[in-house]
Amino acid sequence: KTLLAQSFLSIMALSIAYSSCKLLVYLILLISWMQCIECRRKPKAKEQNCYEKLGVATDASEKVIKKKFRKMALKYHPDKVKDAEDREKAEEIFKELAHCYEILSDKEQRQKYDASGYNEQF
């Protein structure tokens, strides 16, 4: 059994035994908390790291990263896309690219990002 299932069963047993609304509230809070932990542990299937999104190598220089970002930013800038559906997708990609560039262009953030194994939220 998972930790979540064990916690649920033990608190449910206490809740039934004492018929207390307070225990039910604790149960709901515990389940919510455990689900948050479970969600953080599961890697997202489609998630790419910033190097892949920008299309650069992990040892790329700041100059190469800047050049690639500018090229990608021009391609996906929402003002450059004419179709409304494509504009929404382009805007989302543009925001991701800008976020990745923000991380990789700052030496300290890039070191933290590299050390985290691309799993930590930035």
Side-chain angles (χ1 to χ4, degrees), residues 31 34 82:
I31 290 171
M34 293 300 290
K82 295 179 183 177

Side-chain angles (χ1 to χ4, degrees), residues 20-90:
S20 172
C21 292
K22 198 173 193 180
L23 286 175
L24 237 91
V25 170
Y26 288 131
L27 172 68
I28 293 168
L29 290 173
L30 178 68
I31 290 171
S32 301
W33 178 73
M34 293 300 290
Q35 286 175 340
C36 283
I37 291 175
E38 293 291 323
C39 290
R40 286 187 210 143
R41 289 183 187 162
K42 295 177 186 175
K44 295 178 182 175
K46 281 188 156 185
E47 189 173 314
Q48 291 180 315
N49 69 44
C50 286
Y51 294 105
E52 291 172 350
K53 285 180 185 177
L54 287 174
V56 296
T58 55
D59 61 345
S61 68
E62 289 178 29
K63 189 176 181 178
V64 171
I65 291 171
K66 185 175 186 176
K67 184 177 180 179
K68 190 67 173 183
F69 168 71
R70 286 185 174 184
K71 183 177 180 181
M72 300 283 284
L74 282 174
K75 181 179 178 182
Y76 291 105
H77 195 282
D79 293 341
K80 299 283 185 181
V81 180
K82 295 179 183 177
D83 188 28
E85 290 178 21
D86 292 339
R87 186 176 295 131
E88 290 176 14
K89 291 177 187 176

Side-chain angles (χ1 to χ4, degrees), residues 78 100 109:
C100 287
Q109 283 189 354

